[in-house]
């Protein structure tokens, strides 16, 4: 996938992006010159709109997903648009946009080039219109009706998000999609419908709940060469063991049981009949002979030993497992060796061409079930929300209340004698594993990566090598598109000017430009001055000390004493050298005048 253009048509704009904001990512010349993968690096001052660009892209593709998903929650009100053949949701944010990109379509889609040139136009309050500008039937390209099946072929394989900070607006579309995924599963469970064992949607957000899943999938599937950044930077030698705990059943209120009954409005069933007829329901009498009802939440994921469902496959890969009938919890323990890795490959790589994505999707389904406790009214509010405070409205379950969790994830580091826990890593080590792990997992897909300041906890050496690590992770694959926001000059120094987006905000208007100098290989000082507007090479406190000494010199204090204090108080810097030179030059000038 290659982005070409984005325009915001919404009369309200989007976040700090004003109505009419437009950016062209590539020209025809750029496309001809472009070779392989290279991220777009978004730079500029705080509050200049960098993250808003990523948020807009996430929100747009979330909107497109909602239009074409087969299963949407009842709280979504939508209607079929007869002109486009697609669905129109009631509300979008932004509600008006134009986006163009290139993507390799699936077989059966006739285009004149290797990649389809897609344009999607949505005016506020209207359904989006699709255009394939290089469709082989040129005369019909502008008028061609694109329904859900064709539209989904022309969307990116995955939209992948990551934010190192508290950017909840970037995560909001992804969180909404998780609830849609849960509702899809819950509906299938209640109505005893088939479930494919993987999410229907393609939005994936990497946060603390999913980070272990990303890491485990890579350490179980990737070969040694692919994991070189893990080994060289974080010193991870090999995965040793881990445990998966699955809580199978939860208690539900009497009022919730009726939702599991027949969909035939003319058929009236008692609670006892519903429980008796639904394989996921059970009733337990307590000491007072009152009944408490339970639902096996993972019923659609479980089956016999030979089943292809998720839980039997995980059990076949386990070194040992145990079902605690008292708590109805399944414990799966994995002592990782070559046989363990081979078992995972045999059970999870056949669906997506020898890739760890199938295992990740299995984890994704199980982890999404942890949303079971969120009420329907809260979900309905969330679907319509553009709030900055998602985490404050959706509570996090205690670990023992979750449907699925990882525990005792241990691995060996080359510089540590004993196996250590994943939680013992530093913030920077976690961040590197998260971001590179996401790239490794989806490296062979046509996906859009949206990474918001992914290097904030890195040391200078890791920041300097981050772009190289990204290239190393994708290993020559060029089907991805990536946008990275940063305040780090190192990322700009490793990027060509056409890949650097410099953001500026003046009087509420966001503008994006390219650097007017060659950024590739430019010095950190040059980039700091030209792109971030900071001319000083030292910190603010040190600059204040230096300015104070300069002022004392200008007021006539002893020059030798000023120079001595400069050398005693401040380390080496350009600013210090220039001030000392100024003081010495002033002494030479005075000396010359005295001789005359």
């Amino acid at each position: 996938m290659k982005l070409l253009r984005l325009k915001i048509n919404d009369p309200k704009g989007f976040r700090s992006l004003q109505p009419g904001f437009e950016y062209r990512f590539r020209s025809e010349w750029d496309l001809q010159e472009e070779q392989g993968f290279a991220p777009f690096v978004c730079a500029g001052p705080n509050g200049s709109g960098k993250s808003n660009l990523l948020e807009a892209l996430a929100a747009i593709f979330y909107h497109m997903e909602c239009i074409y998903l087969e299963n949407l929650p009842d709280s979504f009100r939508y209607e079929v648009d007869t002109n486009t053949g697609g669905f129109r949701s009631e509300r979008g944010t932004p509600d008006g946009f134009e986006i163009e990109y290139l993507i390799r379509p699936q077989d059966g889609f006739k285009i004149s080039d290797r990649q389809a040139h897609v344009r999607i136009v949505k005016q506020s309050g209207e359904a989006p219109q699709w255009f394939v500008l290089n469709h082989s039937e040129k005369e019909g390209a502008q008028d061609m009706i694109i329904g859900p099946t064709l539209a989904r072929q022309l969307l990116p394989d995955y939209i992948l998000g990551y934010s190192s900070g508290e950017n909840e607006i970037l995560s909001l579309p992804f969180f909404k999609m998780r609830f849609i995924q849960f509702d899809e599963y819950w509906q299938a469970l209640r109505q005893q419908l088939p479930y494919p064992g993987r999410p229907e949607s393609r939005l994936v957000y990497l946060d603390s709940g999913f980070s272990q899943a990303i890491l485990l999938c890579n350490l179980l599937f990737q070969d040694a060469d692919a994991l070189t950044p893990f080994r060289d930077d974080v010193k991870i030698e090999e995965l040793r063991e881990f445990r998966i705990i699955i809580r199978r059943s939860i208690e539900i209120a009497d009022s919730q049981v009726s939702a599991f009954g027949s969909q035939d409005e003319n058929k009236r069933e008692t609670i006892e009949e519903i429980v008796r007829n639904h394989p996921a329901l059970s009733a337990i009498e307590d000491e007072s002979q009152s009944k408490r009802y339970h639902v096996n939440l993972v019923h659609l994921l479980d089956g016999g030993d030979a089943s292809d469902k998720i839980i039997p496959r995980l059990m076949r890969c386990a070194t040992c497992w145990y079902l605690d009938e008292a708590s109805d919890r399944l414990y799966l323990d994995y002592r990782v060796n070559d046989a363990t890795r081979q078992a995972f490959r045999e059970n999870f790589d056949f669906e997506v061409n020898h890739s760890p994505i199938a295992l990740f999707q299995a984890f994704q389904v199980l982890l999404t079930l942890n949303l079971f406790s969120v009420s329907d009214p809260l979900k309905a509010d969330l679907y319509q929300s553009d709030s900055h405070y998602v985490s404050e409205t959706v509570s996090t379950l205690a670990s023992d209340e979750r449907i699925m969790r990882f525990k005792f994830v241990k691995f060996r580091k080359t510089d540590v004698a004993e196996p250590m826990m994943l939680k013992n890593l530093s913030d920077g080590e976690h961040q590197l594993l998260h971001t590179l792990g996401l790239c490794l997992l989806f490296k062979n897909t046509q996906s859009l990566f949206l990474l918001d300041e992914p290097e904030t906890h890195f040391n200078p050496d890791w920041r300097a090598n981050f772009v190289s690590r990204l290239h190393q992770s994708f290993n020559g694959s060029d089907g991805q598109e990536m946008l990275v926001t940063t305040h780090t000059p190192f990322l700009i120094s490793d990027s060509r000017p056409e890949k650097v987006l410099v953001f500026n905000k003046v009087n509420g208007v966001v503008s994006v430009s390219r650097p007017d100098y060659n950024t590739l290989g430019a010095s950190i000082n040059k980039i700091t001055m030209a792109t971030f507007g900071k001319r000083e090479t030292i910190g603010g406190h040190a600059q204040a000390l230096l300015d104070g000494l300069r002022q004392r010199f200008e007021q006539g204090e002893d020059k030798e004493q000023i120079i001595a204090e400069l050398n005693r108080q401040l380390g080496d810097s350009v600013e210090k050298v220039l001030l000392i030179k100024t003081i010495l030059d002033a002494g030479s000038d005075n000396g010359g005048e005295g001789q005359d």
Side-chain angles (χ1 to χ4, degrees):
M1 179 205 185
K2 303 295 179 186
L3 287 170
L4 299 177
R5 182 175 71 96
L6 173 66
K7 183 177 181 180
I8 303 298
N9 291 331
D10 193 322
K12 298 179 181 178
F14 178 79
R15 309 301 178 204
S16 68
L17 305 180
Q18 66 277 3
F21 171 86
E22 183 174 9
Y23 186 73
R24 296 182 180 273
F25 293 89
R26 292 174 172 86
S27 65
E28 292 293 333
W29 175 256
D30 292 333
L31 285 170
Q32 295 175 13
E33 293 292 309
E34 191 168 307
Q35 296 181 352
F37 163 81
F40 282 103
V41 176
C42 305
N46 292 96
S48 58
K50 303 183 299 297
S51 297
N52 297 142
L53 178 63
L54 275 62
E55 293 162 9
L57 289 167
I60 285 170
F61 283 110
Y62 164 79
H63 183 81
M64 301 306 297
E65 277 284 278
C66 289
I67 292 174
Y68 296 110
L69 287 176
E70 294 182 7
N71 298 291
L72 280 174
D74 294 337
S75 57
F76 271 87
R77 294 184 293 275
Y78 55 88
E79 59 189 27
V80 176
D81 187 284
T82 56
N83 293 323
T84 65
F87 292 101
R88 182 173 71 198
S89 61
E90 183 183 38
R91 181 170 176 258
T93 305
D95 197 37
F97 58 83
E98 297 176 25
I99 189 168
E100 288 186 43
Y101 56 88
L102 301 176
I103 195 164
R104 290 192 297 271
Q106 298 176 11
D107 295 340
F109 203 93
K110 298 178 181 179
I111 56 172
S112 56
D113 301 314
R114 190 170 66 95
Q115 298 191 89
H117 184 164
V118 178
R119 176 186 293 164
I120 307 172
V121 179
K122 185 185 186 308
Q123 300 299 337
S124 183
E126 299 180 7
Q129 293 181 295
W130 286 76
F131 305 100
V132 180
L133 302 186
N134 59 345
H135 191 268
S136 59
E137 300 173 6
K138 276 288 186 181
E139 296 180 358
Q142 298 292 326
D143 301 319
M144 182 172 48
I145 295 177
I146 297 181
T149 302
L150 286 180
R152 297 210 75 194
Q153 290 187 32
L154 296 173
L155 289 171
D157 291 342
Y158 299 94
I159 312 298
L160 307 161
Y162 174 75
S163 176
S164 63
E166 299 298 322
N167 189 350
E168 293 197 353
I169 296 301
L170 176 60
S171 63
L172 182 59
F174 298 94
F175 285 155
K176 289 181 180 181
M177 191 56 69
R178 285 184 187 175
F179 283 101
I180 292 175
Q181 293 167 3
F182 176 84
D183 285 344
E184 173 194 2
Y185 179 86
W186 184 248
Q187 180 183 10
L189 179 65
R190 287 191 292 111
Q191 299 179 14
Q192 302 187 53
L193 301 174
Y195 183 73
R198 59 182 177 274
E200 183 188 0
S201 68
R202 61 193 74 199
L203 269 70
V204 176
Y205 187 73
L206 179 58
D207 57 12
S208 58
F210 282 70
S211 61
Q212 291 174 306
I214 290 280
L215 180 60
L216 287 173
C217 289
N218 280 304
L219 292 178
L220 288 168
F221 273 81
Q222 304 289 1
D223 58 32
D225 290 340
L227 295 173
T228 297
F230 287 13
R231 186 173 56 253
D232 289 354
D233 292 333
V234 190
K235 310 298 183 184
I236 289 184
E237 185 177 353
E238 61 178 352
L239 178 66
R240 297 302 300 270
E241 61 183 85
F242 63 97
R243 169 178 283 182
I244 295 175
I245 303 175
I246 299 174
R247 177 188 176 191
R248 303 202 312 167
S249 61
I250 59 172
E251 185 174 346
I252 59 174
D254 297 11
S255 58
Q256 294 176 284
V257 175
S258 58
F260 290 80
S262 172
Q263 300 301 301
D264 186 352
E265 295 181 357
N266 297 320
K267 185 177 180 180
R268 298 183 178 275
E269 295 177 297
T270 65
I271 289 182
E272 287 74 16
E273 289 174 328
I274 294 174
V275 173
R276 186 166 56 249
N277 294 331
H278 201 292
L281 295 178
S282 60
I284 301 174
E285 286 191 0
D286 57 22
E287 295 178 355
S288 63
Q289 295 186 338
S290 61
K291 289 186 177 179
R292 299 167 63 183
Y293 300 99
H294 290 76
V295 58
N296 182 348
L297 199 56
V298 299
H299 172 72
L300 295 181
L301 310 177
D302 208 349
D305 293 343
S307 171
D308 283 335
K309 294 183 178 180
I310 290 175
I311 291 178
R313 283 195 274 169
L314 289 173
M315 293 172 69
R316 290 196 291 269
C317 299
T319 307
C320 60
W321 59 269
Y322 168 69
L323 176 61
D324 184 346
E325 295 184 1
S327 62
D328 203 17
R329 280 176 169 81
L330 177 64
Y331 295 84
L332 301 163
D333 285 321
Y334 300 86
R335 181 75 174 179
V336 180
N337 53 30
D338 290 341
T340 312
R341 295 186 184 90
Q342 182 60 30
F344 274 102
R345 291 188 178 95
E346 291 175 355
N347 283 277
F348 286 98
D349 73 356
F350 57 89
E351 293 183 2
V352 280
N353 192 25
H354 302 287
S355 161
I357 292 179
L359 177 60
F360 175 76
Q361 289 177 327
F363 289 154
Q364 194 177 4
V365 169
L366 287 165
L367 288 168
T368 301
L369 297 185
N370 291 332
L371 301 174
F372 75 90
S373 64
V374 180
S375 66
D376 289 337
L378 181 55
K379 283 189 287 188
D381 289 343
L382 179 68
Y383 290 138
Q384 303 301 326
S385 172
D386 58 0
S387 170
H388 292 70
Y389 306 105
V390 177
S391 63
E392 295 183 11
T393 56
V394 179
S395 59
T396 302
L397 288 176
S399 60
D400 62 343
E401 295 178 346
R402 298 172 191 170
I403 299 301
M404 191 267 199
R405 58 190 168 114
F406 298 104
K407 199 171 182 181
F408 304 133
V409 180
K410 293 183 180 181
F411 55 89
R412 183 176 291 280
K413 290 185 71 174
T414 56
D415 55 351
V416 179
E418 296 296 325
M420 63 182 297
M421 301 281 286
L422 178 64
K423 293 182 178 181
N424 292 336
L425 294 176
S426 69
D427 287 343
E429 289 174 319
H430 278 293
Q431 198 169 19
L432 187 71
L433 293 174
H434 293 171
T435 53
L436 297 187
L438 195 68
C439 296
L440 283 173
L441 191 61
F442 293 94
K443 64 181 178 181
N444 294 320
T445 64
Q446 296 187 89
S447 297
L448 175 61
F449 293 76
L450 305 173
L451 308 183
D452 190 35
E453 299 186 23
E455 80 305 330
T456 51
H457 294 291
F458 290 177
N459 61 57
D461 182 56
W462 285 9
R463 291 183 180 185
N465 291 320
F466 185 57
V467 172
S468 297
R469 293 306 192 204
L470 292 175
H471 282 276
Q472 195 172 14
S473 298
F474 287 120
N475 192 27
S477 178
D478 64 350
Q480 310 79 19
E481 184 70 284
M482 178 181 287
L483 277 74
V484 183
T485 66
T486 188
H487 294 111
T488 301
F490 288 112
L491 271 64
I492 298 174
S493 181
D494 270 346
S495 303
R496 298 178 64 86
E498 62 270 19
K499 288 292 187 174
V500 178
L501 282 57
V502 181
F503 284 70
N504 193 24
K505 187 176 181 181
V506 179
N507 297 325
V509 177
V510 175
S511 62
V512 182
S513 61
R514 292 182 178 180
D516 57 2
Y517 63 98
N518 187 3
T519 53
L520 185 61
S523 72
I524 301 306
N525 288 346
K526 167 71 174 179
I527 295 170
T528 301
M529 289 187 290
T531 301
F532 293 101
K534 178 173 172 54
R535 305 195 64 82
E536 301 83 5
T537 65
I538 60 178
H541 179 62
Q543 184 68 48
L545 291 175
L546 187 141
D547 290 342
L549 291 168
R550 181 191 299 275
Q551 187 176 15
R552 288 167 55 189
F553 156 67
E554 292 172 349
Q555 292 173 350
E557 287 196 28
D558 182 74
K559 301 176 180 60
E560 292 185 1
Q561 182 178 344
I562 296 294
I563 292 175
E565 287 194 40
L566 273 169
N567 287 322
R568 184 174 66 254
Q569 292 189 39
L570 298 172
D572 294 336
S573 69
V574 173
E575 286 80 0
K576 172 184 166 181
V577 171
L578 289 176
L579 179 54
I580 292 176
K581 184 177 186 302
T582 298
I583 295 172
L584 293 175
D585 288 347
S588 298
D589 292 341
N590 291 338
E593 291 173 1
Q595 290 176 357
D596 291 338

